[in-house]
Amino acid sequence: MGDIRIGIIGTGVIAGTHAGILQQNNDVTLSSVFDIQKARAEKFAAEFGMQALSGVEDVIADSDAVYITVPNKFHAEMTLKTLSHGKHVFCEKPFALNLNDARKIVDAVEKEEVIYQLGFSRRLAPVYKKMKELITSGKLTPKSFNIKMNRGELQVPSWTSDSKVTGGFLFESTLHLIDMVRYLFGEVKKITAVGSKSVYPCVDDFSMIFEMENGIHGVFSSSAHTTWIFPFERVEIYGDHASIVSDEMEAVTYCMDLNTPVEKLTFSTLPIDERWGFTQENELFVDRLLGRDSGENALVATHLDGYKNVELMENIYEEVGLGR
Ligand SMILES: NC(=O)c1ccc[n+]([C@@H]2O[C@H](COP(=O)([O-])OP(=O)(O)OC[C@H]3O[C@@H](n4cnc5c(N)ncnc54)[C@H](O)[C@@H]3O)[C@@H](O)[C@H]2O)c1
């Protein structure tokens, strides 16, 4: 039983992933949970040795830090509530669904001087960390990129096709790689985008061109209805006769000059929580709460990243001009 009491609001799929990891951490005590589905909360609490309480405020009062793992449209409200009690927050992506809420969260994090972390787990996934390392070490200087981030369907969970709940399809998994564009290439200068409502009632197909402040540019496509055929997620980075290519979060392949061997790192033998960066993001959150820095704290997504990403999302939806 560790010193840090962590509570969880929303006991669905991703909450189970986080709790399973936090349960192994000696610095953490998993305290209490709340879910609007009482039976779900009770089952979850029993599984992880927690208490199921009857409201969000109860969990906040009982914890030093709160995980917000409810559907997207509740993130801002619950984050603000937790911050108003001066408690630390780990919130699943997205940060917020509009800039107004995003600004309020930034102000509250800065006023309360608490730790805030956003669930962009891919930043810590070995594939993407390797890509970033190859860039920051100067082994490849990116000139342009080609990214795709598809979803097979918007059916599971059922709320993923309802843009009133998600904020729009882009706020689902696509947002991970929109954040990745900033993580790998710096700040965005301009996005040009077209989209359509092809299958679902929300805008579910996007073709975008990114122009970065440092002159790098790239294309990014995202469709919500492809079936789960591989690869549904792929990043290709092009340098001076050099490229780095990802295969989902399984492997990264790179070649740094003409007439040189191709190198490939495969991570498929790692447990999935590590391969997808969930283990590492939870460990880093606890480290940050304890004031520790293994040298990787700067990799996590903060409230400022959250704000910038919401700003980009609003720009894209405005460009497409079909609502969400
Ligand atoms: N980082 C990642 O890779 C990743 C992966 C999956 C999900 N997510 C994000 O995590 C969040 C949850 O996704 P999920 O797949 O676990 O969903 P889920 O539907 O499995 O779980 C959501 C839970 O929240 C509960 N809930 C709904 N409204 C509530 C409210 N007002 N108060 C309290 N509880 C409420 C539901 O009853 C459900 O148990 C989403 O925002 C999603 O985008 C992130």
Side-chain angles (χ1 to χ4, degrees), residues 9-16 18 34-37 40 56 68-75 77-78 92-94 119-122 156-159 171-173 176 276 278 281:
I9 301 171
T11 54
V13 175
I14 198 70
H18 292 307
F34 170 70
D35 194 293
I36 39 161
Q37 297 187 54
R40 217 177 214 207
V56 171
I68 297 170
T69 48
V70 284
N72 306 2
K73 77 167 178 178
F74 302 110
H75 288 191
E77 168 198 333
M78 293 191 185
E92 262 309 336
K93 37 66 55 180
F120 282 119
S121 41
R122 277 169 175 72
V156 184
S158 54
W159 50 264
F171 284 90
E172 280 305 296
S173 13
H176 276 290
W276 286 52
F278 293 126
E281 69 173 348

Side-chain angles (χ1 to χ4, degrees), residues 140 241-245 253-263:
L140 181 145
H241 299 93
S243 26
I244 316 173
V245 175
T253 308
Y254 44 98
C255 184
M256 294 314 185
D257 209 340
L258 293 172
N259 310 316
T260 57
V262 175
E263 293 180 67

Side-chain angles (χ1 to χ4, degrees), residues 11 33 35 37-47 50 52:
T11 54
V33 294
D35 194 293
Q37 297 187 54
K38 195 166 172 231
R40 217 177 214 207
E42 282 170 354
K43 185 165 176 265
F44 189 98
E47 183 179 350
M50 303 173 81

Side-chain angles (χ1 to χ4, degrees), residues 34-246:
F34 170 70
D35 194 293
I36 39 161
Q37 297 187 54
K38 195 166 172 231
R40 217 177 214 207
E42 282 170 354
K43 185 165 176 265
F44 189 98
E47 183 179 350
F48 294 104
M50 303 173 81
Q51 250 193 304
L53 300 179
S54 48
V56 171
E57 303 266 359
D58 300 324
V59 173
I60 296 171
D62 185 43
S63 310
D64 301 313
V66 175
Y67 272 56
I68 297 170
T69 48
V70 284
N72 306 2
K73 77 167 178 178
F74 302 110
H75 288 191
E77 168 198 333
M78 293 191 185
T79 300
L80 288 168
K81 201 171 274 183
T82 308
L83 292 172
S84 74
H85 290 81
K87 301 293 175 83
H88 307 291
V89 170
F90 181 102
C91 185
E92 262 309 336
K93 37 66 55 180
F95 184 65
L97 302 185
N98 59 65
L99 268 186
N100 195 25
D101 284 346
R103 170 49 60 197
K104 286 187 201 158
I105 299 173
V106 169
D107 290 346
V109 172
E110 288 176 358
K111 176 168 167 261
E112 298 297 337
E113 297 183 0
V114 291
I115 303 289
Y116 176 94
Q117 192 167 312
L118 195 51
F120 282 119
S121 41
R122 277 169 175 72
R123 286 172 168 238
L124 285 318
V127 159
Y128 291 119
K129 264 181 70 183
K130 184 68 192 176
M131 283 187 143
K132 189 170 174 70
E133 183 198 309
L134 290 168
I135 294 170
T136 50
S137 64
K139 292 204 173 84
L140 181 145
T141 302
K143 309 287 185 198
S144 61
F145 60 85
N146 190 327
I147 295 179
K148 81 166 166 187
M149 182 59 160
N150 292 336
R151 260 193 74 121
E153 36 63 31
L154 293 180
Q155 294 168 9
V156 184
S158 54
W159 50 264
T160 49
S161 63
D162 183 354
S163 55
K164 290 195 189 67
V165 178
T166 60
F169 157 61
L170 283 188
F171 284 90
E172 280 305 296
S173 13
T174 310
L175 182 52
H176 276 290
L177 289 200
I178 288 186
D179 176 66
M180 191 57 60
V181 169
R182 294 186 47 256
Y183 179 72
L184 294 174
F185 310 118
E187 296 305 335
V188 178
K189 186 168 129 198
K190 188 177 169 206
I191 304 177
T192 315
V194 289
S196 55
K197 295 182 176 178
S198 302
V199 173
Y200 291 98
C202 55
V203 187
D204 56 7
D205 261 322
F206 289 86
S207 300
M208 301 174 269
I209 298 178
F210 281 67
E211 293 171 55
M212 309 303 289
E213 279 178 0
N214 54 15
I216 299 169
H217 54 89
V219 295
F220 188 138
S221 70
S222 188
S223 171
H225 44 80
T226 57
T227 79
W228 290 105
I229 187 172
F230 270 37
F232 53 81
E233 168 173 353
R234 190 172 181 91
V235 174
E236 299 187 0
I237 305 171
Y238 312 127
D240 177 353
H241 299 93
S243 26
I244 316 173
V245 175
S246 66

Side-chain angles (χ1 to χ4, degrees), residues 278-316:
F278 293 126
T279 305
Q280 300 90 319
E281 69 173 348
N282 280 287
E283 283 170 358
L284 282 180
F285 182 60
V286 175
D287 279 357
R288 292 180 72 215
L289 294 179
L290 290 167
R292 294 194 295 234
D293 188 356
S294 58
E296 299 209 323
N297 288 11
L299 296 180
V300 303
T302 66
H303 57 297
L304 299 176
D305 292 303
Y307 183 85
K308 287 197 168 142
N309 290 337
V310 174
E311 202 171 39
L312 293 183
M313 299 299 252
E314 288 215 332
N315 286 345
I316 295 168

